[in-house]
Amino acid sequence: NDCVQLIFDFVGWGTDEKGIIVILGHRTVYQRQQIRRAYEEIYQEDLVKRLESEIKGDFEKAVYRWILEPADRDAVLANVAIKSGKNYNIIVEIATILSPEELFAVRRAYLHRYKHSLEEDVAAHTSGHIRQAMGLVTSFRYVGEEINPKLAQNEAEILHDAVKEKKGSYEEAIRILTTRSKTQLIATFNRYREIHGTSISKKLVDEGSDEFQKALYTTIRSINDHIKYYEKVVRNAIKKVGTDEDALTRVIVSRAEKDLKLISDVYYKRNSVLLEHAVAKEISGDYKKFLLTLLGKEE
């Protein structure tokens, strides 16, 4: 029934964008994959390609990313980030926030889609310390709750010397951040705060920071509290002179079926404005209607 309705939305005098939003914006990831398969069986064409020909701009990009399976979506996001050569934070997000199994699924999806590996492309487009930091994409972290307090103490000091004082070994900092479990790293960050009276990410980056320093910052922030990290991504996207639609779309689409409500709650506490109101004020048209639908607030 959804496929038949989508065809009705495509034909006639202009595409019925509202109909597309009503259907796809209210279907789960499993249902969206069923719709894609059924559409191809019935009409012998790829629904994604049809959508690309029917809708345009930020709305098309958001719908396209929404209809993909999560691992395939992250593979596309990673490839765009690598090819643009200017936003390795997206690679760091994928590598640190996803579970080891989810990250492995992204690497597999990337290989299937682009016929070469994610780590191969990362290595080909980076060098020096940033290439070492991108070793995050191959990590398979321990996911249990066990921590080593003594190790946390020692590695808090290693990170302080390397990251904050910039006089220690960056290689050691990279080793710690790419291999330790998230639980262990959070214990290390907490110990750092106890010793030095401030968070390790405080004033870690400024206008003069290079890609490596930004990658370290994103790694620490996203491991320590990815909800607060995403809230800041959204806040910065909205605050920019000219909204950063790519960042806004990425967070809302990729977190809508995970923890977007938590991100919205933190946004409200931080800014005293509902996220849906902030979004509605900055963007317009079908793109706005679609993102608001994913936020659970229809116009």
Side-chain angles (χ1 to χ4, degrees), residues 9 12 31 47 81 120 155 161 167 169 171-172 184 205 220 228 235 251 280:
D9 294 335
Q31 290 168 335
L47 176 58
E120 179 184 357
E155 295 190 339
D161 290 345
K167 63 181 182 182
S169 167
E171 284 77 10
E172 276 294 278
Q184 181 67 39
V205 292
I220 292 166
K228 287 184 178 179
R235 177 161 32 98
V251 175

Side-chain angles (χ1 to χ4, degrees), residues 2 5-11 13-27 51 54-56 59-60 63 66 285-294 297-299:
D2 280 344
Q5 185 57 54
L6 282 170
I7 280 291
F8 281 128
D9 294 335
F10 294 152
V11 300
W13 293 100
T15 305
D16 181 4
E17 287 85 357
K18 181 180 178 182
I20 294 171
I21 294 169
V22 166
I23 293 174
L24 296 180
H26 294 88
R27 300 296 182 266
L51 284 166
E54 296 287 341
I55 57 180
K56 302 298 179 188
F59 176 47
E60 182 268 323
V63 171
W66 175 246
D286 296 311
Y287 175 53
K288 168 183 168 182
K289 293 173 186 175
F290 186 64
L291 290 196
L292 289 180
T293 298
L294 299 189
K297 303 292 179 182
E298 331 235 347
E299 287 193 308

Side-chain angles (χ1 to χ4, degrees), residues 74-75 77-83 85 87-92 94-95 103 106-107 110 114 116-138 215:
D74 285 334
L77 289 171
N79 184 257
V80 171
I82 291 167
K83 294 300 171 62
N87 197 351
Y88 292 107
N89 287 339
I90 294 173
I91 308 290
V92 176
I94 292 168
L103 177 56
V106 172
R107 291 167 62 193
Y110 193 100
Y114 299 108
H116 31 91
S117 70
L118 173 57
E119 47 269 42
E120 179 184 357
D121 278 0
V122 165
H125 288 80
T126 56
S127 61
H129 286 125
I130 187 68
R131 178 185 288 172
Q132 292 174 307
M134 289 301 105
L136 287 162
V137 300
T138 61

Side-chain angles (χ1 to χ4, degrees), residues 41-283:
E41 288 174 9
I42 297 169
Y43 302 112
Q44 285 77 55
E45 72 172 342
D46 185 350
L47 176 58
V48 171
K49 285 188 169 56
R50 183 62 187 264
L51 284 166
E52 286 176 337
S53 69
E54 296 287 341
I55 57 180
K56 302 298 179 188
D58 292 314
F59 176 47
E60 182 268 323
K61 187 180 291 185
V63 171
Y64 170 71
R65 290 178 177 176
W66 175 246
I67 204 169
L68 295 176
E69 292 184 78
D72 201 25
R73 177 196 306 138
D74 285 334
V76 170
L77 289 171
N79 184 257
V80 171
I82 291 167
K83 294 300 171 62
S84 70
K86 61 182 181 181
N87 197 351
Y88 292 107
N89 287 339
I90 294 173
I91 308 290
V92 176
E93 285 177 23
I94 292 168
T96 55
I97 294 172
L98 298 183
S99 71
E101 289 78 11
E102 288 170 332
L103 177 56
F104 186 76
V106 172
R107 291 167 62 193
R108 187 168 52 204
Y110 193 100
L111 184 63
H112 177 75
R113 178 179 275 268
Y114 299 108
K115 310 310 177 193
H116 31 91
S117 70
L118 173 57
E119 47 269 42
E120 179 184 357
D121 278 0
V122 165
H125 288 80
T126 56
S127 61
H129 286 125
I130 187 68
R131 178 185 288 172
Q132 292 174 307
M134 289 301 105
L136 287 162
V137 300
T138 61
S139 65
F140 200 92
R141 301 176 190 272
Y142 167 69
V143 294
E145 296 301 313
E146 185 177 333
I147 63 169
N148 182 328
K150 186 175 181 181
L151 187 66
Q153 166 103 18
N154 292 339
E155 295 190 339
E157 289 306 286
I158 292 172
L159 290 176
H160 177 263
D161 290 345
V163 176
K164 299 290 274 192
E165 296 297 323
K166 298 181 174 61
K167 63 181 182 182
S169 167
Y170 272 140
E171 284 77 10
E172 276 294 278
I174 292 167
R175 177 189 62 78
I176 292 166
L177 294 172
T178 57
T179 61
R180 298 298 184 213
S181 73
K182 291 182 184 180
T183 308
Q184 181 67 39
L185 285 171
I186 290 170
T188 299
F189 301 153
N190 289 340
R191 188 70 188 112
Y192 183 100
R193 182 189 290 273
E194 291 168 6
I195 297 169
H196 299 285
T198 186
S199 72
I200 187 172
S201 59
K202 188 78 169 177
K203 297 182 179 178
L204 184 59
V205 292
D206 53 33
E207 291 296 322
S209 298
D210 59 22
E211 287 294 338
F212 173 63
Q213 290 166 323
K214 291 174 183 176
L216 284 183
Y217 175 78
T218 301
T219 302
I220 292 166
R221 284 295 304 268
S222 57
I223 288 174
N224 205 26
D225 190 332
H226 75 273
I227 300 296
K228 287 184 178 179
Y229 167 76
Y230 275 130
E231 183 278 329
K232 188 170 184 179
V233 172
V234 170
R235 177 161 32 98
N236 288 344
I238 292 171
K239 278 170 55 180
K240 280 187 80 170
V241 178
T243 308
D244 185 347
E245 286 87 357
D246 273 353
L248 189 62
T249 298
R250 183 175 86 249
V251 175
I252 292 178
V253 169
S254 64
R255 308 314 294 183
E257 294 176 294
K258 294 183 177 180
D259 44 28
L260 186 56
K261 177 64 169 63
L262 296 176
I263 296 166
S264 298
D265 291 344
V266 172
Y267 186 91
Y268 181 75
K269 289 176 185 174
R270 175 71 171 70
N271 305 281
S272 301
V273 177
L274 292 171
L275 179 56
E276 57 267 26
H277 291 172
V279 168
K281 188 177 177 182
E282 293 297 321
I283 59 177

